[in-house]
Amino acid sequence: MKHLIKIEDLTVKDINKIYDIAYAFEKGERKTDYSNKSICNMFFENSTRTKLSFEMAQTKINVKKFNFEAKVSSINKGENMYDTINNLSAIGMDAFVIRHTDDNLIEELSKEQYFKDVSFINAGSGKNAHPSQALLDFYTIKSHFKDFYNKTIVITGDITHSRVAKSNIALLKKFNMNIRCLAPNELTGEKIEGVQYYTSLKEAFDGADIVMALRIQKERFENETIDIKKYIENYQITKENLPKNAILMHPGPVNKDVEIEACLYDAPNSVILKQARNGVFVRMAILDIILGGIL
Ligand code: NCD
C-alpha cells in the first residue's frame, strides 16, 4: 500500500490489517518512530476534524509534519500542483496528505511517474472519495457490534454531494452490510448497485441498526435547490423517529436541528464523538502502513 486514494483499491484483508494496527495503537500496544520521514499536509478546502486528526496521528507516530498553507503559497502566483509537489519532494517530503475540490487530481498525482518515490493520502477529493473517513466509520461500527454481518445501515442526507457516502458504500459493500440510502430525490445522487433507495424515512428506518446522517453540503451545490423547511419536516432525525437500538453516526460538521435534532448529538446512542476519537487511531495505522511499507 503505497498510497491511499480510494476504498475500491483495498481488499478486505488490507482493511483488516489497518484495523489490527489501529487497535494496537488504541490499546497503547504499538509505538513507532518515523522521525526520519516527513509528511506534508495540503488542505485546499476547509477542515476541522480531518486536518487535526491527521496532525494528531502524525505526532503520535513520531513523523515530522509540515503544513502547506494553500492561501499563502505560490499556487497563488500561478504555480501548478505538479510543480509544487515536485519542489516539495525535492525539499524532502516523503508523503502528502491532500484535501482538494477536484474529484480526480489526487489519483492522477499518484499515477504520475515523476512522483514514484512519494506517497499520496486522500483526505477528501471533491464529491468523489474520502477513504480515511469511511475506514474510521467502519472501525467505529465494528467496535460497537460484535457481529456486524447482516446489520442494516441507513445513510441519509445529502448523498449527491457526499464523498463520505460514496466511500462508505464502497467499504460497506465489501463487508456485506445491508445498505439503505434515504434522501429526497434531489439529494439521492446516482444510484449505486447493491444499495436500496428510500424516500420515506419511516420505511428506511424500519429495522435499522445504524443511522448515518450527512450534512446538506450547500457549498457543493451547482444548480440544485433545496427547501430546507420541507427537508427538516420529512427527513430530520429526531429522538422520536430514530430506532431505539440504532446507533447514530455523523462524519461532522453537524448542522444541529437540520439533519439531526440537536439533543441527539451527544445522546447515549450517538457515536459521533467516538468517530472523531477513532479517526486518530485509524489514521495512525494508515500512515504507519504506508511509511513502514507494511502492506
Ligand atoms: C466531511 C467532508 O469534508 O467530506 N467531513 C469530514 O471530513 N469529517 C463531510 C462534510 O463536509 O459534510
Side-chain angles (χ1 to χ4, degrees):
M1 193 170 132
K2 186 164 163 47
H3 311 288
L4 176 66
I5 306 299
K6 56 185 192 304
I7 293 294
E8 289 80 347
D9 300 334
L10 303 174
T11 62
V12 167
K13 211 170 144 214
D14 297 336
I15 296 169
N16 285 330
K17 183 75 188 169
I18 295 172
Y19 290 160
D20 287 346
I21 295 179
Y23 190 65
F25 280 127
E26 183 177 357
K27 294 282 142 220
E29 287 162 3
R30 186 172 175 82
K31 298 274 175 275
T32 56
D33 180 8
Y34 288 109
S35 51
N36 59 336
K37 303 264 185 189
S38 299
I39 298 194
C40 186
N41 298 313
M42 306 178 82
F43 281 71
F44 292 89
E45 262 189 18
N46 298 346
S47 177
T48 296
R49 269 154 297 271
T50 307
K51 182 167 183 285
L52 273 294
S53 174
F54 266 112
E55 284 191 45
M56 182 60 84
Q58 289 156 1
T59 303
K60 290 193 167 190
I61 66 161
N62 295 304
V63 63
K64 291 203 177 71
K65 68 172 163 65
F66 299 84
N67 287 334
F68 171 86
E69 301 299 340
K71 286 200 182 96
V72 291
S73 71
S74 292
I75 295 259
N76 295 328
K77 298 181 187 169
E79 191 165 32
N80 67 32
M81 210 35 193
Y82 285 80
D83 294 340
T84 304
I85 300 278
N86 239 339
N87 278 273
L88 294 178
S89 62
I91 287 170
M93 300 299 171
D94 299 293
F96 296 89
V97 173
I98 303 179
R99 168 170 286 195
H100 205 281
T101 47
D102 191 296
D103 281 6
N104 305 310
L105 177 68
I106 301 165
E107 179 151 26
E108 284 160 13
L109 291 170
S110 73
K111 289 186 177 148
E112 185 55 69
Q113 261 310 302
Y114 267 156
F115 306 141
K116 63 180 184 351
D117 297 327
V118 297
S119 291
F120 293 95
I121 297 130
N122 185 354
S125 49
K127 299 194 283 281
N128 188 19
H130 194 349
S132 67
Q133 180 69 42
L135 285 164
L136 78 88
D137 289 339
F138 197 64
Y139 184 84
T140 308
I141 292 173
K142 249 167 66 86
S143 68
H144 191 87
F145 294 102
K146 269 200 198 79
D147 181 15
F148 55 84
Y149 282 100
N150 291 318
K151 292 278 182 263
T152 297
I153 178 163
V154 181
I155 301 175
T156 179
D158 179 2
I159 297 163
T160 308
H161 303 97
S162 177
R163 52 195 177 203
V164 175
K166 289 179 192 94
S167 287
N168 262 288
I169 291 169
L171 198 155
L172 294 162
K173 277 171 82 167
K174 289 185 190 284
F175 287 88
N176 299 319
M177 302 278 286
N178 301 317
I179 313 164
R180 297 178 182 171
C181 280
L182 165 69
N185 285 325
E186 57 274 36
L187 296 182
T188 300
E190 263 176 54
K191 296 208 168 148
I192 300 170
E193 212 192 297
V195 176
Q196 292 169 282
Y197 286 88
Y198 292 79
T199 48
S200 150
L201 180 142
K202 202 163 174 293
E203 285 171 25
F205 279 15
D206 186 32
D209 303 291
I210 303 150
V211 173
M212 181 184 287
L214 301 168
R215 184 175 64 88
I216 296 175
Q217 296 139 63
K218 277 237 158 121
E219 75 281 10
R220 303 207 174 103
F221 278 39
E222 279 160 31
N223 302 315
E224 309 91 315
T225 50
I226 172 96
D227 180 343
I228 293 282
K229 230 179 119 212
K230 219 165 131 205
Y231 178 86
I232 292 173
E233 244 171 64
N234 294 317
Y235 293 98
Q236 186 185 81
I237 305 162
T238 63
K239 57 178 185 305
E240 268 74 47
N241 66 29
L242 182 67
K244 286 290 156 284
N245 296 317
I247 57 166
L248 176 66
M249 306 183 75
H250 196 308
V254 174
N255 288 145
K256 287 183 174 173
D257 287 328
V258 181
E259 64 269 19
I260 67 166
E261 194 180 356
C263 64
L264 288 178
Y265 190 89
D266 42 16
N269 50 347
S270 159
V271 296
I272 296 172
L273 294 174
K274 281 201 186 117
Q275 289 171 265
R277 180 175 181 273
N278 287 337
V280 177
F281 309 124
V282 170
R283 292 183 172 114
M284 288 168 80
I286 292 166
L287 298 174
D288 186 14
I289 286 171
I290 289 176
L291 295 171
I294 293 170
L295 268 174

